Amino acid sequence: MMSLMETSTTSFIVESLTKAIVEHRLMPGTKLAEQKLADHFGVSRTLVRQALFQLSQNRLIRLEPARGAFVATPSVDEARQVFAVRRMLEAEMVRSFVAQRTTAKIRALKQHVAAEKKAMESEDVGQRTELLGDFHVRMAELMGNEVLAQLLGELISRCALITLMYQSSTAAEHSHDEHAEIVTALADGDADHAVLLMQQHLDHVEAGLTFDRDLPTNDLSMALSSLAP
């Protein structure tokens, strides 16, 4: 069994690499060398291996026998399936949110949307990407449903890889405005309209994917240089 300190260290590595992937600093297909990661985080390769295994369970990386770990490269079919699952989950989430909405919950969502706007204006790509994804997780958290928040977090992390691989630079510009419209419908208690807006939002994100584009590449050393050790 791992000690509490080892578990904490492994979790930190998982969180750091997930953040690098979500913020598009670790590109699909990047090889994750165990020794390089161990040196960067100042830990044993055993702890790195445990972190990589956890990430493989979340489908953010793939482990290949005799070759090592690589940032996942989701297929077109997987991309479509991820969005199909999100539509199912988030339609019901929106209905439930309306049923249990409070002034405090609406205020919290409006504050999140304001933070998105600030990140958009400052052209902070990493922060913008993270906040746009977190909007969906935040709704689940405000409902007190940790299972849903965790599921959505994993799906949205996979979406970050998908959008990195297949999204054009202009396709995500409307996400913030659409989030603001969803919050307005939630505040009004209009469940049907809120569900429709959420479905249209996910449709727009998926429609903005270009499945025949050249895939980006990156180097692990470059990505690690912006990770906190």
Side-chain angles (χ1 to χ4, degrees):
M1 284 182 63
M2 288 194 296
S3 70
L4 187 60
M5 183 174 291
E6 287 175 329
T7 303
S8 175
T9 302
T10 302
S11 297
F12 177 74
I13 297 170
V14 169
E15 289 170 10
S16 297
L17 292 177
T18 299
K19 189 173 172 67
I21 290 169
V22 169
E23 293 183 356
H24 297 173
R25 288 182 280 110
L26 268 178
M27 302 296 191
T30 302
K31 182 174 174 59
L32 301 171
E34 286 182 8
Q35 190 59 57
K36 191 172 284 189
L37 289 169
D39 292 343
H40 175 77
F41 289 104
V43 299
S44 68
R45 288 178 67 171
T46 301
L47 290 181
V48 168
R49 205 169 291 128
Q50 289 163 349
L52 293 176
F53 177 74
Q54 286 185 33
L55 287 163
S56 73
Q57 296 293 97
N58 296 343
R59 301 293 190 272
L60 287 183
I61 72 165
R62 68 179 190 277
L63 299 175
E64 297 187 7
R67 291 196 68 218
F70 298 82
V71 178
T73 51
S75 66
V76 173
D77 283 345
E78 183 180 344
R80 295 203 185 284
Q81 288 168 18
V82 166
F83 276 97
V85 172
R86 284 191 62 185
R87 282 189 194 88
M88 297 174 207
L89 279 177
E90 297 190 50
E92 187 58 37
M93 177 176 72
V94 166
R95 288 197 185 280
S96 297
F97 191 97
V98 169
Q100 57 180 265
R101 76 191 187 285
T102 64
T103 302
K105 290 175 183 176
I106 296 297
R107 187 188 308 119
L109 275 187
K110 286 182 176 178
Q111 288 170 347
H112 187 95
V113 170
E116 287 179 4
K117 183 175 176 62
K118 189 174 180 181
M120 304 277 284
E121 290 171 347
S122 67
E123 297 185 354
D124 185 337
V125 177
Q127 182 77 349
R128 180 184 69 202
T129 302
E130 188 173 4
L131 285 168
L132 287 173
D134 279 353
F135 171 81
H136 301 261
V137 179
R138 188 78 184 110
M139 284 184 64
E141 289 174 344
L142 289 167
M143 292 166 62
N145 192 327
E146 289 302 317
V147 174
L148 179 57
Q150 184 178 10
L151 278 173
L152 272 178
E154 291 175 5
L155 283 169
I156 286 160
S157 292
R158 291 170 76 174
C159 276
L161 267 179
I162 290 163
T163 55
L164 174 58
M165 289 176 64
Y166 300 117
Q167 195 171 57
S168 67
S169 58
T170 58
E173 289 179 1
H174 302 299
S175 286
H176 163 71
D177 292 335
E178 291 172 352
H179 286 173
E181 290 174 2
I182 290 167
V183 173
T184 298
L186 293 172
D188 291 342
D190 190 339
D192 289 340
H193 188 48
V195 168
L196 178 63
L197 288 173
M198 181 64 82
Q199 289 174 332
Q200 289 177 339
H201 170 54
L202 294 173
D203 286 346
H204 292 161
V205 176
E206 185 175 6
L209 303 179
T210 307
F211 290 120
D212 58 357
R213 65 182 297 204
D214 292 334
L215 300 184
T217 58
N218 201 356
D219 177 74
L220 179 58
S221 297
M222 292 170 57
L224 288 179
S225 67
S226 53
L227 280 177

